[in-house]
Amino acid sequence: MQQPIFIKRVLALSVGFFLMTACGRPKGILPQDKMEAVLWDVAKGSDFVNSNIYYKYPQLNRAAVNQEVLNKIFSLHKVTKKEFFNSLDYYQQRPDVYIAMLDSIKSRQTKEQGLRPNTSDSARAAQAIK
């Protein structure tokens, strides 16, 4: 008589495990590829603002400029601020996935700049001088 109870428990646990893994990320969390695209644009926007806008207009309110750039990026990707930050929290709690996204962004940045991956800062400086 105890055997059917054991089988029911194993079956219930198996179904529960399957449902948990099949569902993936919670509702309202951006898919990994979309999150990576948004992070890429955030990084590029930040770089642009830091190297161009603040350089030319140091008197600007940096918080307001940063918020404006983020809002434009969110609009471009059709993402809300809440979705972005909830997704960021979600992926930061999964370091293996988050680090993979950041590595992908870093690799893309390196390719765009025409540098070899893992190039030291001094080697980059030497390339820039040539």
Side-chain angles (χ1 to χ4, degrees), residues 36-101:
E36 190 174 312
V38 175
L39 285 172
W40 168 251
D41 284 343
V42 168
K44 287 191 68 153
S46 176
D47 186 44
F48 175 78
V49 167
N50 286 327
S51 62
N52 292 306
I53 304 299
Y54 296 150
Y55 177 75
K56 292 178 183 176
Y57 310 101
Q59 75 281 3
L60 288 176
N61 180 333
R62 289 179 181 229
V65 172
N66 286 336
Q67 191 58 55
E68 185 178 339
V69 169
L70 281 178
N71 288 340
K72 287 183 182 188
I73 291 168
F74 296 157
S75 176
L76 173 73
H77 289 279
K78 297 176 177 60
V79 172
T80 66
K81 183 178 179 178
K82 182 178 179 181
E83 285 175 318
F84 174 75
F85 285 107
N86 285 345
S87 299
L88 186 61
D89 288 341
Y90 173 82
Y91 287 114
Q92 285 177 336
Q93 293 173 11
R94 285 144 189 84
D96 54 328
V97 178
Y98 188 60
I99 289 170
M101 287 192 316

Side-chain angles (χ1 to χ4, degrees), residues 7-25:
I7 292 173
K8 286 181 183 179
R9 285 186 182 167
V10 168
L11 184 60
L13 287 172
S14 298
V15 169
F17 179 75
F18 173 75
L19 289 175
M20 284 176 41
T21 57
C23 293
R25 67 192 180 323

